[in-house]
Amino acid sequence: MLKARDGVPRVPVIPPLTSNRGGICLDLNENTAGCSSRVLSKLRGLTAADVSLYPERASAERAVAAHLGVSTEQLLLTNGVDEAIVVLSSCFLAPGDEAIYPVPTFPMYSVGACAAGATTVEVPAGRDFRFPAEQMLAAVTPRTRMMAIANPNNPTGALVPRAMLVRLLEAAPDAAMLVDEAYYEFCGESMLDELPRYSNLFVARTFSKAYGLAALRAGCLVGAPEHMELVRRLAPPFSVNGVALACLPEALADREFVDGCVANVRRERARLEAELSKYGVRTWPSHANFILADLGAQHAAFAVELEKEGIYVRDRGGDPACAGCVRISVGTPAEMDRLYAALPGALQRIGWRP
Ligand SMILES: Cc1ncc(COP(=O)(O)O)c(C=O)c1O
């Protein structure tokens, strides 16, 4: 039996998908409304050559760069933000280096750092889940080579003020700072316009959330051209598949679809917060397409009870950084109605007391 090198996580950081995803999937922050009909038309029109030839990403890269208002030298399309994280980490982290990120957060930052053999420095947020700004600053050392910040954060939905991100960029000029804007569309706050001022800044965006293309696997990383040139050397040349590349321009062109989904999330997010508060369930203000709810000791039982009704939510309560919490994605109005119909029974069966 081969032995993995030190630093390889003992357990997979990303849990497997629920075995039955036929129900109402409010567990992975996807767009349950689907995707643009323009994307579906494109998929139906694909030819054998679209499938049999290696994909060429330059033209989709031009379309995404134009959409974001950056140059193609600044942008790399990736197999989701997941790949962007791993490639960026492998470019700037080596054994002995430190990667800092707040917890709780998206687990791929730890995967990227571990894959590069670096040391992870986890900075806990308090129970209000506000960004631990001073603690992040205090964690910076001469070994800090990377910082990763999801903005808004997953699983909390919290947003970091721009001034704070700028302080961090300035405190660690020799560290690559990734601002992961996977949920950008739901909040409208971006650091893209700071790129000309800070060459250590990298911004990631995904097409998995508001655009509804999670299964196609497309995201991007944007940074200073001289640094992106290095990152590109480590990116597998065909990691973004041809089907995704063919669909991206269509997805970008359908503004109406994305705007409609974002408007729905904003409306339904407020309704979800209000519904949970009716039962005395604590939630935290979210700027993304999900809400974190405190179910205390009954977090796992709550998720199981909803699952019995075909509704999947993400139990994060076993993670000490968000003990007792369950993350609920915002779905379509009809899906949310099903959730609200199931809530009182589920809460009663777990013996919920606020
Ligand atoms: C903060 C954050 N970044 C990145 C991702 C993954 O994005 P992608 O599907 O583009 O790999 C997620 C997915 O949940 C996320 O929450």
Side-chain angles (χ1 to χ4, degrees):
M1 171 88 176
L2 296 178
K3 192 173 167 298
R5 66 162 167 73
D6 288 347
V8 173
R10 276 186 214 95
V11 288
V13 179
I14 309 289
L17 298 179
T18 44
S19 55
N20 173 9
R21 300 208 82 225
I24 295 180
C25 297
L26 306 180
D27 52 345
L28 289 177
N29 305 339
E30 294 143 313
N31 186 341
T32 59
C35 67
S36 159
S37 56
R38 290 184 61 146
V39 169
L40 293 177
S41 304
K42 186 75 189 179
L43 285 171
R44 289 190 190 103
L46 290 179
T47 65
D50 288 327
V51 176
S52 65
L53 302 180
Y54 279 109
E56 182 268 333
R57 68 175 151 207
S59 64
E61 228 157 35
R62 276 195 297 277
V64 175
H67 171 75
L68 296 180
V70 300
S71 69
T72 48
E73 289 74 29
Q74 288 176 285
L75 181 131
L76 174 72
L77 276 181
T78 54
N79 189 284
V81 170
D82 286 353
E83 189 196 27
I85 294 164
V86 174
V87 175
L88 186 69
S89 305
S90 72
C91 191
F92 294 106
L93 290 174
D97 292 342
E98 291 173 357
I100 308 178
Y101 49 86
V103 287
T105 195
F106 185 52
M108 279 302 295
Y109 310 135
S110 137
V111 174
C114 291
T119 303
T120 55
V121 179
E122 301 194 337
V123 178
R127 192 59 178 177
D128 60 5
F129 292 134
R130 255 201 294 232
F131 185 68
E134 298 307 322
Q135 295 90 324
M136 287 284 292
L137 281 165
V140 174
T141 75
R143 291 182 172 203
T144 306
R145 283 285 173 279
M146 188 165 163
M147 283 187 275
I149 296 162
N151 204 35
N153 192 20
N154 172 10
T156 64
L159 195 65
V160 187
R162 171 187 292 249
M164 195 54 243
L165 295 173
V166 164
R167 270 181 77 194
L168 280 168
L169 280 163
E170 291 176 350
D174 296 330
M177 180 159 139
L178 173 65
V179 179
D180 178 349
E181 297 182 352
Y183 301 97
Y184 159 76
E185 288 80 6
F186 307 108
C187 75
E189 295 275 330
S190 177
M191 287 292 279
L192 273 183
D193 61 347
E194 297 286 0
L195 283 168
R197 275 181 289 281
Y198 298 101
S199 71
N200 56 329
L201 170 64
F202 295 84
V203 174
R205 292 279 183 89
T206 185
F207 290 93
S208 300
K209 308 297 178 184
Y211 288 86
L213 305 181
L216 288 185
R217 311 303 303 130
C220 66
L221 184 68
V222 188
E226 67 274 22
H227 294 148
M228 290 308 293
E229 200 269 319
L230 303 174
V231 172
R232 207 168 274 117
R233 291 184 206 173
L234 287 163
F238 305 119
S239 62
V240 186
N241 72 76
V243 177
L245 292 170
C247 292
L248 278 182
E250 299 301 320
L252 286 173
D254 195 347
R255 260 308 351 132
E256 208 183 318
F257 173 80
V258 175
D259 290 348
C261 292
V262 169
N264 174 66
V265 163
R266 290 194 170 148
R267 238 182 353 254
E268 292 298 325
R269 188 173 64 196
R271 199 156 74 104
L272 175 56
E273 215 169 15
E275 282 291 326
L276 290 167
S277 83
K278 272 193 205 164
Y279 304 98
V281 176
R282 181 183 181 189
T283 59
W284 286 265
S286 170
H287 298 263
N289 65 344
F290 53 81
I291 278 188
L292 196 64
D294 188 353
L295 274 301
Q298 299 304 323
H299 59 90
F302 176 72
V304 168
E305 286 304 326
L306 287 178
E307 191 169 331
K308 287 182 192 159
E309 311 261 348
I311 300 170
Y312 300 96
V313 295
R314 178 74 191 277
D315 174 21
R316 291 284 313 249
D319 176 349
C322 49
C325 291
V326 172
R327 194 190 63 202
I328 307 174
S329 308
V330 175
T332 62
E335 289 171 327
M336 299 314 277
D337 285 343
R338 284 268 308 274
L339 172 69
Y340 305 144
L343 260 185
L347 290 171
Q348 194 193 22
R349 288 193 295 280
I350 65 169
W352 170 249
R353 296 234 185 324

